[in-house]
Amino acid sequence: MVHRNENPLENAQDERRVAFVMPGGGSLGAVQVGMLGALHAHGIIADLVVGTSVGGFNAAFIAADPINGHIALHDVWVALQRRDLFALAPKGMALGLVGRRDAIFGNEKLLSFLHRHAPLVRLEHAKIPIAITATDFETGHPVALTHGPAVSALLATGAIPGIFPAVQRDSRLLVDGGVSAAWPVELALDMGATDVYVLETASVQTMQRRRGALAMFERGIDIITDRAVALERRAVFASHPGRIHEIPAPHSRTSILDLSTTRDLIDAAKASTSQWLREHQSLTSSPGISNELENTTA
């Protein structure tokens, strides 16, 4: 059970409410940009969003602007480079590896990036409800952040233990939301969603086998995450048949740390999602707030 600050849709009416759930995936979060563009083009607009890790960053743009947020998000992603997020400091890395500090990287670069690009100042100022997931490092419980400063929430949801420092927020020490809630679909249902679109980032089967320590690390994370997600997926699908729609990621051999193929990932995901939506036309028959599309441009 996810511990929420409060339920932002506690008094929601009995009507269709579309949720976009965006899991993490490092650089593979770029595929969600293409998926969002395709969903918009087919008139499917979110009434609420839930995001984990990089998916939380993407979700913030949709929460800030459900109609055209994917356009601003696209611009950020295509300009993104690894040096915007990571500061290679050999001394700091060495201290982390020998146990003299809790993370290999500092989060100064990431914090600066978020201050420049985060589309919200506070989560409760979003145009639609948003929940960013994090993990309470002391208890291991998932935490849904729905109020308060957006930058610290986004910093927390991406704080991979041992890689980036944990984030102190509301008397809790928080780390990456994917540790405890890699597939936070149940949270979206708890928030009042009647239809949930899960914007998947990748599957282990499409990952290229590579050699080296980083490749081993990535593969290990994939295995752990996939096992946890498989258990949760079975339970959620069994209890909510017909309400969960998983949008598959396009086949990719891109590493979760590789930002060199961002444009290709976005384009491939937009094309594959458009095809998937054409094959599932019944899902577009009653979009969330798509009537607003009449006065906007793609």
Side-chain angles (χ1 to χ4, degrees):
M1 179 61 68
V2 175
H3 300 273
R4 294 180 297 281
N5 294 358
E6 64 179 83
N7 186 344
L9 293 179
E10 189 173 27
N11 299 315
Q13 298 179 349
D14 184 18
E15 58 185 9
R16 185 179 185 203
R17 300 193 71 85
V18 172
F20 292 170
V21 171
M22 300 184 218
S27 63
L28 298 177
V31 302
Q32 293 173 345
V33 182
M35 292 172 177
L36 290 166
L39 287 164
H40 177 275
H42 283 76
I44 301 175
I45 308 298
D47 297 302
L48 63 102
V49 289
V50 176
T52 295
S53 198
V54 70
F57 178 75
N58 292 343
F61 279 79
I62 302 306
D65 183 355
I67 306 299
N68 292 313
H70 67 286
I71 299 174
L73 181 62
H74 177 279
D75 293 342
V76 172
W77 268 95
V78 296
L80 184 61
Q81 299 184 48
R82 190 182 298 183
R83 65 171 178 263
D84 295 324
L85 308 176
F86 297 98
L88 294 178
K91 181 179 178 181
M93 294 174 67
L95 290 173
L97 291 172
V98 300
R100 304 249 334 248
R101 75 176 198 178
D102 292 335
I104 294 176
F105 295 104
N107 59 12
E108 296 82 7
K109 282 272 192 177
L110 182 57
L111 184 61
S112 175
F113 172 81
L114 291 174
H115 276 303
R116 292 196 310 273
H117 296 294
L120 296 167
V121 175
R122 297 183 64 85
L123 297 179
E124 66 268 28
H125 294 166
K127 291 184 179 179
I128 60 174
I130 179 173
I132 303 294
T133 71
T135 301
D136 187 318
F137 189 67
E138 300 297 329
T139 67
H141 293 154
V143 177
L145 304 172
T146 59
H147 289 72
V151 166
S152 70
L154 296 174
L155 199 64
T157 194
I160 304 169
I163 305 299
F164 287 116
V167 175
Q168 190 76 37
R169 179 182 162 114
D170 298 333
S171 74
R172 290 188 175 111
L173 193 63
L174 302 178
V175 296
D176 195 304
V179 173
S180 59
W183 200 71
V185 171
E186 190 172 7
L187 173 57
L189 294 167
D190 288 346
M191 291 172 66
T194 60
D195 293 85
V196 179
Y197 291 83
V198 186
L199 283 62
E200 302 287 6
T201 53
S203 63
V204 172
Q205 288 78 8
T206 64
M207 295 297 291
Q208 181 183 28
R209 284 193 174 275
R210 300 182 307 279
R211 300 184 64 84
L214 284 177
M216 293 295 290
F217 170 76
E218 289 184 50
R219 175 61 173 159
I221 293 296
D222 284 335
I223 293 171
I224 294 169
T225 301
D226 269 28
R227 288 177 67 87
V229 167
L231 292 172
E232 186 170 357
R233 182 185 283 115
R234 283 198 294 270
V236 172
F237 274 112
S239 57
H240 301 282
R243 296 175 60 186
I244 316 301
H245 318 297
E246 289 185 288
I247 302 177
H251 294 293
S252 171
R253 298 186 182 278
T254 299
S255 159
I256 61 173
L257 300 175
D258 182 3
L259 289 166
S260 66
T261 62
T262 294
R263 288 182 182 273
D264 292 339
L265 289 174
I266 293 173
D267 292 343
K270 186 171 184 178
S272 65
T273 301
S274 294
Q275 178 62 34
W276 184 86
L277 288 167
R278 286 192 292 270
E279 294 170 357
H280 298 77
Q281 290 186 15
S282 62
L283 300 182
T284 65
S285 61
S286 180
I289 52 174
S290 61
N291 56 300
E292 297 187 32
L293 287 169
E294 296 176 3
N295 299 316
T296 63
T297 58

